[in-house]
Amino acid sequence: YQYYFYNGFKNIFNGFVNESYDLNKNINLLIELQLAYHKYRLYNERYLNTDFSISNLFFNPRIGLNYKLNQLQNIFISFARVTREPRLKNYYDAAESSAGEIPQFELDSNGKYDFNSPLVKPETMNDIEIGTFFSDNNFSLNLNLFYMLFKDEIIKNGKVDRFGQPITGNVDQTTHVGIELTASFKLFNTVEIFGNASYSKNKISNGKYFINDTTAIDISKNSISGFPEFLSNLGIQFSSNGIFVKL
């Protein structure tokens, strides 16, 4: 039995310019500008006979400043604004059409889908980061603080479809704030210990979960699923005479 059938495609065109400029011997300025064009189309869908295309043009800038304290240590600060489009299945999960999924678009006065007015929005992130990097012959340490503000972030809503895949959708405002640490230490010329860890708080600042068209639950201040507060990794590696072992 064929549960669904449709054709789809996605066109992606990306371009960017990147400039690293030394203001003086201790200060470096980094600027990056990205332009991205994305277009989806879904057609030849046999269950609801759906046919639509969506295109978006995104401008993503980033600027950073790096200051060299000495030959071993530097500090940096950066700001980035990034916009990301939803996946095609966020607009319409055609594989679930026989289970009741419908296209996520507004209805016009005739009760038909207005494919120029999607209910799903691209997510936008403003990211501020500050940190320091230290390195000598035997030891390196990278410490980074980040603060990310999202509008319309696409997150897992805690439910899964009948195939066990997470269901995602927009939420009004979210915040991700945390600290990341990466370090490595050479015990000998052939043995190195390395690791990284992060601790973060990932919260919904403002959001609602709609049970139906008229009833919603306020989920503000809740944690975002899929973002553990603490993550860590520790390893050791050996390299000598063409032999490499890593645990």
Side-chain angles (χ1 to χ4, degrees):
Y1 181 81
Q2 199 168 50
Y3 283 94
Y4 61 90
F5 182 90
Y6 65 93
N7 295 110
F9 71 73
K10 181 177 182 180
N11 288 336
I12 304 175
F13 298 96
N14 284 329
F16 72 93
V17 291
N18 180 287
E19 173 67 18
S20 179
Y21 182 74
D22 291 328
L23 298 177
N24 56 47
K25 65 178 182 179
N26 292 325
I27 302 176
N28 175 265
L29 179 67
L30 174 69
I31 298 176
E32 183 171 300
L33 305 174
Q34 184 203 43
L35 199 63
Y37 173 80
H38 294 178
K39 182 178 180 180
Y40 288 121
R41 187 184 176 197
L42 188 146
Y43 64 101
N44 196 23
E45 199 252 339
R46 296 180 183 174
Y47 195 78
L48 297 179
N49 197 29
T50 305
D51 188 335
F52 67 84
S53 63
I54 295 177
S55 59
N56 287 294
L57 183 65
F58 302 119
F59 175 66
N60 299 320
R62 178 176 175 237
I63 184 169
L65 197 66
N66 184 74
Y67 179 71
K68 184 187 294 184
L69 294 173
N70 50 55
Q71 293 299 319
L72 300 179
Q73 187 177 8
N74 69 321
I75 57 175
F76 58 87
I77 185 171
S78 69
F79 171 79
R81 180 178 174 86
V82 180
T83 305
R84 182 173 71 105
E85 88 285 7
R87 293 185 298 165
L88 180 58
K89 69 179 299 182
N90 291 126
Y91 292 111
Y92 176 38
D93 191 357
E96 286 289 281
S97 57
S98 60
E101 286 294 324
I102 59 175
Q104 297 300 300
F105 295 85
E106 293 183 4
L107 298 175
D108 60 21
S109 57
N110 297 319
K112 295 183 179 180
Y113 293 109
D114 182 358
F115 291 118
N116 293 316
S117 302
L119 299 174
V120 185
K121 304 173 184 177
E123 67 176 23
T124 301
M125 176 194 71
N126 292 304
D127 175 33
I128 300 173
E129 301 195 17
I130 184 170
T132 182
F133 179 75
F134 174 87
S135 178
D136 63 13
N137 293 330
N138 296 315
F139 178 72
S140 69
L141 176 71
N142 187 22
L143 180 67
N144 184 52
L145 304 173
F146 64 87
Y147 185 72
M148 300 177 182
L149 295 174
F150 280 83
K151 180 181 178 182
D152 298 318
E153 184 178 6
I154 302 166
I155 66 173
K156 301 173 184 177
N157 70 8
K159 301 174 70 176
V160 296
D161 61 25
R162 56 180 168 167
F163 301 112
Q165 299 300 311
I167 298 173
T168 61
N170 291 118
V171 67
D172 293 338
Q173 292 180 329
T174 56
T175 303
H176 301 254
V177 58
I179 182 171
E180 300 170 317
L181 177 68
T182 302
S184 64
F185 178 68
K186 279 190 176 181
L187 291 176
F188 313 103
N189 289 332
T190 57
V191 178
E192 180 179 351
I193 297 175
F194 61 90
N196 57 66
S198 68
Y199 180 77
S200 64
K201 292 288 187 178
N202 309 278
K203 298 288 186 178
I204 297 172
S205 306
N206 183 23
K208 295 180 179 180
Y209 177 75
F210 287 88
I211 300 174
N212 51 48
D213 292 339
T214 58
T215 306
I217 300 173
D218 186 1
I219 56 174
S220 301
K221 310 305 179 184
N222 283 12
S223 296
I224 306 172
S225 63
F227 288 92
E229 289 188 352
F230 181 72
L231 293 169
S232 64
N233 174 57
L234 181 65
I236 185 170
Q237 63 186 34
F238 171 85
S239 178
S240 178
N241 297 323
I243 298 174
F244 179 79
V245 180
K246 181 178 179 181
L247 176 64

PDB file of all heavy atoms in Angstrom, residues 210-235:
ATOM      1  N   PHE A 210       0.009  25.252  20.691  1.00  0.00           N
ATOM      2  CA  PHE A 210      -1.399  25.244  20.327  1.00  0.00           C
ATOM      3  C   PHE A 210      -1.932  23.812  20.299  1.00  0.00           C
ATOM      4  O   PHE A 210      -1.460  22.971  19.528  1.00  0.00           O
ATOM      5  CB  PHE A 210      -1.601  25.918  18.971  1.00  0.00           C
ATOM      6  CG  PHE A 210      -1.455  27.413  19.021  1.00  0.00           C
ATOM      7  CD1 PHE A 210      -0.216  28.012  18.855  1.00  0.00           C
ATOM      8  CD2 PHE A 210      -2.558  28.221  19.266  1.00  0.00           C
ATOM      9  CE1 PHE A 210      -0.077  29.391  18.924  1.00  0.00           C
ATOM     10  CE2 PHE A 210      -2.426  29.602  19.333  1.00  0.00           C
ATOM     11  CZ  PHE A 210      -1.189  30.184  19.163  1.00  0.00           C
ATOM     12  N   ILE A 211      -2.925  23.565  21.158  1.00  0.00           N
ATOM     13  CA  ILE A 211      -3.597  22.268  21.174  1.00  0.00           C
ATOM     14  C   ILE A 211      -4.535  22.154  19.972  1.00  0.00           C
ATOM     15  O   ILE A 211      -4.635  21.109  19.341  1.00  0.00           O
ATOM     16  CB  ILE A 211      -4.375  22.095  22.490  1.00  0.00           C
ATOM     17  CG1 ILE A 211      -3.408  22.164  23.681  1.00  0.00           C
ATOM     18  CG2 ILE A 211      -5.129  20.768  22.507  1.00  0.00           C
ATOM     19  CD1 ILE A 211      -4.104  22.155  25.020  1.00  0.00           C
ATOM     20  N   ASN A 212      -5.214  23.262  19.669  1.00  0.00           N
ATOM     21  CA  ASN A 212      -6.055  23.350  18.468  1.00  0.00           C
ATOM     22  C   ASN A 212      -6.036  24.802  18.009  1.00  0.00           C
ATOM     23  O   ASN A 212      -5.215  25.602  18.476  1.00  0.00           O
ATOM     24  CB  ASN A 212      -7.476  22.843  18.746  1.00  0.00           C
ATOM     25  CG  ASN A 212      -8.095  23.495  19.972  1.00  0.00           C
ATOM     26  OD1 ASN A 212      -8.043  24.719  20.124  1.00  0.00           O
ATOM     27  ND2 ASN A 212      -8.664  22.677  20.851  1.00  0.00           N
ATOM     28  N   ASP A 213      -6.941  25.172  17.118  1.00  0.00           N
ATOM     29  CA  ASP A 213      -6.919  26.520  16.547  1.00  0.00           C
ATOM     30  C   ASP A 213      -7.209  27.616  17.570  1.00  0.00           C
ATOM     31  O   ASP A 213      -6.829  28.773  17.375  1.00  0.00           O
ATOM     32  CB  ASP A 213      -7.929  26.614  15.405  1.00  0.00           C
ATOM     33  CG  ASP A 213      -7.516  25.759  14.211  1.00  0.00           C
ATOM     34  OD1 ASP A 213      -6.310  25.443  14.115  1.00  0.00           O
ATOM     35  OD2 ASP A 213      -8.389  25.402  13.393  1.00  0.00           O
ATOM     36  N   THR A 214      -7.873  27.284  18.654  1.00  0.00           N
ATOM     37  CA  THR A 214      -8.301  28.316  19.608  1.00  0.00           C
ATOM     38  C   THR A 214      -7.698  28.160  20.998  1.00  0.00           C
ATOM     39  O   THR A 214      -7.760  29.083  21.800  1.00  0.00           O
ATOM     40  CB  THR A 214      -9.841  28.308  19.735  1.00  0.00           C
ATOM     41  OG1 THR A 214     -10.269  27.005  20.161  1.00  0.00           O
ATOM     42  CG2 THR A 214     -10.493  28.643  18.395  1.00  0.00           C
ATOM     43  N   THR A 215      -7.122  26.996  21.314  1.00  0.00           N
ATOM     44  CA  THR A 215      -6.613  26.733  22.658  1.00  0.00           C
ATOM     45  C   THR A 215      -5.097  26.557  22.635  1.00  0.00           C
ATOM     46  O   THR A 215      -4.574  25.791  21.829  1.00  0.00           O
ATOM     47  CB  THR A 215      -7.265  25.478  23.256  1.00  0.00           C
ATOM     48  OG1 THR A 215      -8.688  25.609  23.193  1.00  0.00           O
ATOM     49  CG2 THR A 215      -6.837  25.295  24.704  1.00  0.00           C
ATOM     50  N   ALA A 216      -4.413  27.287  23.533  1.00  0.00           N
ATOM     51  CA  ALA A 216      -2.944  27.217  23.580  1.00  0.00           C
ATOM     52  C   ALA A 216      -2.471  27.155  25.020  1.00  0.00           C
ATOM     53  O   ALA A 216      -3.145  27.618  25.946  1.00  0.00           O
ATOM     54  CB  ALA A 216      -2.334  28.419  22.877  1.00  0.00           C
ATOM     55  N   ILE A 217      -1.294  26.568  25.211  1.00  0.00           N
ATOM     56  CA  ILE A 217      -0.636  26.496  26.515  1.00  0.00           C
ATOM     57  C   ILE A 217       0.580  27.417  26.479  1.00  0.00           C
ATOM     58  O   ILE A 217       1.376  27.373  25.535  1.00  0.00           O
ATOM     59  CB  ILE A 217      -0.189  25.056  26.833  1.00  0.00           C
ATOM     60  CG1 ILE A 217      -1.390  24.107  26.864  1.00  0.00           C
ATOM     61  CG2 ILE A 217       0.541  25.000  28.159  1.00  0.00           C
ATOM     62  CD1 ILE A 217      -0.990  22.650  26.994  1.00  0.00           C
ATOM     63  N   ASP A 218       0.736  28.242  27.515  1.00  0.00           N
ATOM     64  CA  ASP A 218       1.905  29.118  27.614  1.00  0.00           C
ATOM     65  C   ASP A 218       3.111  28.285  28.055  1.00  0.00           C
ATOM     66  O   ASP A 218       3.108  27.703  29.132  1.00  0.00           O
ATOM     67  CB  ASP A 218       1.633  30.236  28.621  1.00  0.00           C
ATOM     68  CG  ASP A 218       2.757  31.266  28.648  1.00  0.00           C
ATOM     69  OD1 ASP A 218       3.730  31.112  27.881  1.00  0.00           O
ATOM     70  OD2 ASP A 218       2.674  32.222  29.438  1.00  0.00           O
ATOM     71  N   ILE A 219       4.134  28.198  27.206  1.00  0.00           N
ATOM     72  CA  ILE A 219       5.318  27.398  27.514  1.00  0.00           C
ATOM     73  C   ILE A 219       6.546  28.279  27.772  1.00  0.00           C
ATOM     74  O   ILE A 219       7.688  27.809  27.724  1.00  0.00           O
ATOM     75  CB  ILE A 219       5.623  26.380  26.396  1.00  0.00           C
ATOM     76  CG1 ILE A 219       5.779  27.086  25.040  1.00  0.00           C
ATOM     77  CG2 ILE A 219       4.531  25.320  26.324  1.00  0.00           C
ATOM     78  CD1 ILE A 219       6.215  26.164  23.915  1.00  0.00           C
ATOM     79  N   SER A 220       6.324  29.566  28.035  1.00  0.00           N
ATOM     80  CA  SER A 220       7.423  30.481  28.351  1.00  0.00           C
ATOM     81  C   SER A 220       8.165  29.999  29.596  1.00  0.00           C
ATOM     82  O   SER A 220       7.559  29.457  30.521  1.00  0.00           O
ATOM     83  CB  SER A 220       6.887  31.893  28.579  1.00  0.00           C
ATOM     84  OG  SER A 220       6.196  32.367  27.436  1.00  0.00           O
ATOM     85  N   LYS A 221       9.466  30.195  29.604  1.00  0.00           N
ATOM     86  CA  LYS A 221      10.388  29.810  30.678  1.00  0.00           C
ATOM     87  C   LYS A 221      10.714  28.314  30.686  1.00  0.00           C
ATOM     88  O   LYS A 221      11.513  27.869  31.512  1.00  0.00           O
ATOM     89  CB  LYS A 221       9.861  30.221  32.064  1.00  0.00           C
ATOM     90  CG  LYS A 221       9.418  31.672  32.167  1.00  0.00           C
ATOM     91  CD  LYS A 221      10.503  32.638  31.759  1.00  0.00           C
ATOM     92  CE  LYS A 221      10.011  34.083  31.859  1.00  0.00           C
ATOM     93  NZ  LYS A 221      11.041  35.040  31.358  1.00  0.00           N
ATOM     94  N   ASN A 222      10.109  27.541  29.825  1.00  0.00           N
ATOM     95  CA  ASN A 222      10.445  26.116  29.738  1.00  0.00           C
ATOM     96  C   ASN A 222      11.789  25.920  29.046  1.00  0.00           C
ATOM     97  O   ASN A 222      12.208  26.733  28.217  1.00  0.00           O
ATOM     98  CB  ASN A 222       9.368  25.347  28.961  1.00  0.00           C
ATOM     99  CG  ASN A 222       8.128  25.084  29.797  1.00  0.00           C
ATOM    100  OD1 ASN A 222       7.974  25.642  30.868  1.00  0.00           O
ATOM    101  ND2 ASN A 222       7.263  24.231  29.306  1.00  0.00           N
ATOM    102  N   SER A 223      12.463  24.816  29.364  1.00  0.00           N
ATOM    103  CA  SER A 223      13.687  24.444  28.659  1.00  0.00           C
ATOM    104  C   SER A 223      13.349  23.920  27.270  1.00  0.00           C
ATOM    105  O   SER A 223      12.255  23.387  27.042  1.00  0.00           O
ATOM    106  CB  SER A 223      14.449  23.378  29.443  1.00  0.00           C
ATOM    107  OG  SER A 223      14.882  23.880  30.686  1.00  0.00           O
ATOM    108  N   ILE A 224      14.288  24.079  26.342  1.00  0.00           N
ATOM    109  CA  ILE A 224      14.107  23.597  24.974  1.00  0.00           C
ATOM    110  C   ILE A 224      14.592  22.157  24.889  1.00  0.00           C
ATOM    111  O   ILE A 224      15.702  21.836  25.307  1.00  0.00           O
ATOM    112  CB  ILE A 224      14.890  24.467  23.976  1.00  0.00           C
ATOM    113  CG1 ILE A 224      14.507  25.941  24.142  1.00  0.00           C
ATOM    114  CG2 ILE A 224      14.637  24.013  22.547  1.00  0.00           C
ATOM    115  CD1 ILE A 224      15.367  26.885  23.324  1.00  0.00           C
ATOM    116  N   SER A 225      13.755  21.280  24.360  1.00  0.00           N
ATOM    117  CA  SER A 225      14.148  19.873  24.259  1.00  0.00           C
ATOM    118  C   SER A 225      15.287  19.711  23.252  1.00  0.00           C
ATOM    119  O   SER A 225      15.391  20.446  22.275  1.00  0.00           O
ATOM    120  CB  SER A 225      12.947  19.023  23.839  1.00  0.00           C
ATOM    121  OG  SER A 225      12.490  19.395  22.564  1.00  0.00           O
ATOM    122  N   GLY A 226      16.141  18.724  23.515  1.00  0.00           N
ATOM    123  CA  GLY A 226      17.249  18.446  22.600  1.00  0.00           C
ATOM    124  C   GLY A 226      18.500  19.245  22.871  1.00  0.00           C
ATOM    125  O   GLY A 226      19.471  19.164  22.109  1.00  0.00           O
ATOM    126  N   PHE A 227      18.526  20.034  23.970  1.00  0.00           N
ATOM    127  CA  PHE A 227      19.701  20.821  24.324  1.00  0.00           C
ATOM    128  C   PHE A 227      20.111  20.491  25.766  1.00  0.00           C
ATOM    129  O   PHE A 227      19.689  21.175  26.705  1.00  0.00           O
ATOM    130  CB  PHE A 227      19.417  22.322  24.196  1.00  0.00           C
ATOM    131  CG  PHE A 227      19.303  22.813  22.787  1.00  0.00           C
ATOM    132  CD1 PHE A 227      18.071  22.860  22.156  1.00  0.00           C
ATOM    133  CD2 PHE A 227      20.425  23.224  22.083  1.00  0.00           C
ATOM    134  CE1 PHE A 227      17.952  23.310  20.858  1.00  0.00           C
ATOM    135  CE2 PHE A 227      20.321  23.680  20.780  1.00  0.00           C
ATOM    136  CZ  PHE A 227      19.075  23.723  20.163  1.00  0.00           C
ATOM    137  N   PRO A 228      20.922  19.464  25.988  1.00  0.00           N
ATOM    138  CA  PRO A 228      21.388  19.149  27.343  1.00  0.00           C
ATOM    139  C   PRO A 228      22.164  20.329  27.938  1.00  0.00           C
ATOM    140  O   PRO A 228      22.897  21.016  27.226  1.00  0.00           O
ATOM    141  CB  PRO A 228      22.299  17.935  27.137  1.00  0.00           C
ATOM    142  CG  PRO A 228      21.908  17.369  25.809  1.00  0.00           C
ATOM    143  CD  PRO A 228      21.452  18.520  24.983  1.00  0.00           C
ATOM    144  N   GLU A 229      22.000  20.548  29.237  1.00  0.00           N
ATOM    145  CA  GLU A 229      22.709  21.654  29.879  1.00  0.00           C
ATOM    146  C   GLU A 229      24.212  21.414  29.930  1.00  0.00           C
ATOM    147  O   GLU A 229      24.999  22.345  29.751  1.00  0.00           O
ATOM    148  CB  GLU A 229      22.169  21.865  31.300  1.00  0.00           C
ATOM    149  CG  GLU A 229      20.768  22.459  31.348  1.00  0.00           C
ATOM    150  CD  GLU A 229      20.359  22.840  32.762  1.00  0.00           C
ATOM    151  OE1 GLU A 229      21.105  22.508  33.717  1.00  0.00           O
ATOM    152  OE2 GLU A 229      19.303  23.472  32.922  1.00  0.00           O
ATOM    153  N   PHE A 230      24.629  20.161  30.162  1.00  0.00           N
ATOM    154  CA  PHE A 230      26.056  19.873  30.301  1.00  0.00           C
ATOM    155  C   PHE A 230      26.477  18.808  29.292  1.00  0.00           C
ATOM    156  O   PHE A 230      25.839  17.765  29.160  1.00  0.00           O
ATOM    157  CB  PHE A 230      26.371  19.390  31.714  1.00  0.00           C
ATOM    158  CG  PHE A 230      27.830  19.093  31.933  1.00  0.00           C
ATOM    159  CD1 PHE A 230      28.757  20.117  32.011  1.00  0.00           C
ATOM    160  CD2 PHE A 230      28.278  17.787  32.038  1.00  0.00           C
ATOM    161  CE1 PHE A 230      30.110  19.847  32.201  1.00  0.00           C
ATOM    162  CE2 PHE A 230      29.622  17.507  32.232  1.00  0.00           C
ATOM    163  CZ  PHE A 230      30.540  18.542  32.313  1.00  0.00           C
ATOM    164  N   LEU A 231      27.542  19.094  28.573  1.00  0.00           N
ATOM    165  CA  LEU A 231      28.133  18.149  27.626  1.00  0.00           C
ATOM    166  C   LEU A 231      29.643  18.125  27.857  1.00  0.00           C
ATOM    167  O   LEU A 231      30.252  19.166  28.118  1.00  0.00           O
ATOM    168  CB  LEU A 231      27.853  18.560  26.173  1.00  0.00           C
ATOM    169  CG  LEU A 231      26.405  18.508  25.681  1.00  0.00           C
ATOM    170  CD1 LEU A 231      26.275  19.193  24.334  1.00  0.00           C
ATOM    171  CD2 LEU A 231      25.942  17.068  25.584  1.00  0.00           C
ATOM    172  N   SER A 232      30.255  16.943  27.748  1.00  0.00           N
ATOM    173  CA  SER A 232      31.703  16.868  27.934  1.00  0.00           C
ATOM    174  C   SER A 232      32.296  15.745  27.104  1.00  0.00           C
ATOM    175  O   SER A 232      31.608  14.796  26.725  1.00  0.00           O
ATOM    176  CB  SER A 232      32.051  16.665  29.418  1.00  0.00           C
ATOM    177  OG  SER A 232      31.544  15.423  29.879  1.00  0.00           O
ATOM    178  N   ASN A 233      33.574  15.868  26.856  1.00  0.00           N
ATOM    179  CA  ASN A 233      34.303  14.899  26.056  1.00  0.00           C
ATOM    180  C   ASN A 233      35.747  14.876  26.549  1.00  0.00           C
ATOM    181  O   ASN A 233      36.345  15.920  26.788  1.00  0.00           O
ATOM    182  CB  ASN A 233      34.250  15.295  24.575  1.00  0.00           C
ATOM    183  CG  ASN A 233      35.111  14.397  23.706  1.00  0.00           C
ATOM    184  OD1 ASN A 233      34.944  13.195  23.683  1.00  0.00           O
ATOM    185  ND2 ASN A 233      36.044  15.005  22.984  1.00  0.00           N
ATOM    186  N   LEU A 234      36.310  13.680  26.743  1.00  0.00           N
ATOM    187  CA  LEU A 234      37.684  13.543  27.221  1.00  0.00           C
ATOM    188  C   LEU A 234      38.369  12.438  26.441  1.00  0.00           C
ATOM    189  O   LEU A 234      37.769  11.392  26.180  1.00  0.00           O
ATOM    190  CB  LEU A 234      37.710  13.218  28.718  1.00  0.00           C
ATOM    191  CG  LEU A 234      39.087  13.056  29.369  1.00  0.00           C
ATOM    192  CD1 LEU A 234      39.843  14.384  29.347  1.00  0.00           C
ATOM    193  CD2 LEU A 234      38.950  12.552  30.804  1.00  0.00           C
ATOM    194  N   GLY A 235      39.613  12.666  26.045  1.00  0.00           N
ATOM    195  CA  GLY A 235      40.311  11.651  25.274  1.00  0.00           C
ATOM    196  C   GLY A 235      41.818  11.717  25.471  1.00  0.00           C
ATOM    197  O   GLY A 235      42.359  12.669  26.032  1.00  0.00           O
TER     198      GLY A 235
END
